[in-house]
Amino acid sequence: MTITDTRPARNGVDVPTLFATLDAVRAQPDLAQFQFRARNEWISGTYNRSTIQGFFGAGTEDTSRTEPFCYDADHPAVLVGNGQGPTPVEFLLHAIAACLTSGLANIAAARGISLRRVASTVEGDIDLLGIFGLSKSVRNGYRQIRVTFEIDGDATAEELAQLLAQSRRRSAVYDVLTSGTEVVVDM
């Protein structure tokens, strides 16, 4: 006998598909292996463009993205750029906010919690003495990143805080930022 999950979509998340995906990966762990890719081209000065289209996942090459996503990056004039896009470190702020928000929406849907509003503010502190090589005691990257959420939904404040905590525990971007990932740079 097959039991069909008849729960409706919640928070824009297809809950039955979410659980079917979890069940499929549980049954075939090799489906969990993904490889995401991006290609970047220098344009001029500090201005460059990344193109993201295909990825490998669930045992196959993705063909659903018929058009690539393109993201421009640059530095502001005060950092010798022309401000034609966010800086790479600003993309990192977007990445942590987006990953935590996506996870929060999925977890809330899985727990049957409807969300009315989710917003976050992300701030990161960098000391340019490190990037410019003017101090060996100052790191190049962020000293600290702070993410502050405003969440409104049909749950108690404690339940909403638990959603955020679970999203943090499951966030790939949070993990990369807090646990480190080997990065190989080659030519």
Side-chain angles (χ1 to χ4, degrees):
M1 174 180 203
T2 301
I3 298 173
T4 304
D5 194 338
T6 58
R7 288 183 278 188
R10 185 180 302 270
N11 305 323
V13 175
D14 182 340
V15 178
T17 299
L18 172 64
F19 281 106
T21 301
L22 290 170
D23 290 342
V25 171
R26 190 175 292 117
Q28 286 185 274
D30 58 310
L31 293 177
Q33 301 306 309
F34 275 66
Q35 181 187 71
F36 294 99
R37 300 180 287 268
R39 175 133 177 93
N40 183 275
E41 293 281 336
W42 170 70
I43 298 171
S44 178
T46 60
Y47 182 38
N48 58 90
R49 178 172 294 130
S50 290
T51 304
I52 300 171
Q53 188 166 8
F55 63 89
F56 178 86
T60 188
E61 192 66 31
D62 175 68
T63 58
S64 66
R65 295 176 175 173
T66 58
E67 295 294 322
F69 298 105
C70 295
Y71 302 97
D72 289 358
D74 198 358
H75 290 173
V78 69
L79 294 176
V80 196
N82 292 310
Q84 297 183 54
T87 66
V89 293
E90 289 170 310
F91 275 107
L92 195 59
L93 299 180
H94 163 68
I96 186 64
C99 193
L100 290 169
T101 300
S102 296
L104 185 97
N106 277 336
I107 295 162
R111 293 183 183 179
I113 296 172
S114 294
L115 298 171
R116 289 183 282 277
R117 181 173 181 269
V118 177
S120 63
T121 301
V122 188
E123 299 173 321
D125 302 321
I126 288 182
D127 185 335
L128 294 182
L129 291 176
I131 294 171
F132 289 161
L134 299 175
S135 173
K136 292 180 181 180
S137 65
V138 176
R139 68 178 294 178
N140 296 339
Y142 285 117
R143 287 188 317 257
Q144 183 182 57
I145 295 174
R146 293 170 303 284
V147 186
T148 305
F149 273 88
E150 299 171 29
I151 307 169
D152 183 24
D154 67 354
T156 67
E158 181 179 327
E159 290 169 322
L160 295 174
Q162 289 171 355
L163 292 177
L164 184 56
Q166 181 65 9
S167 179
R168 181 184 50 82
R169 283 191 293 274
R170 299 279 50 100
S171 168
V173 176
Y174 182 87
D175 177 73
V176 166
L177 289 173
T178 60
S179 299
T181 297
E182 179 182 7
V183 178
V184 178
V185 180
D186 199 352
M187 185 170 95

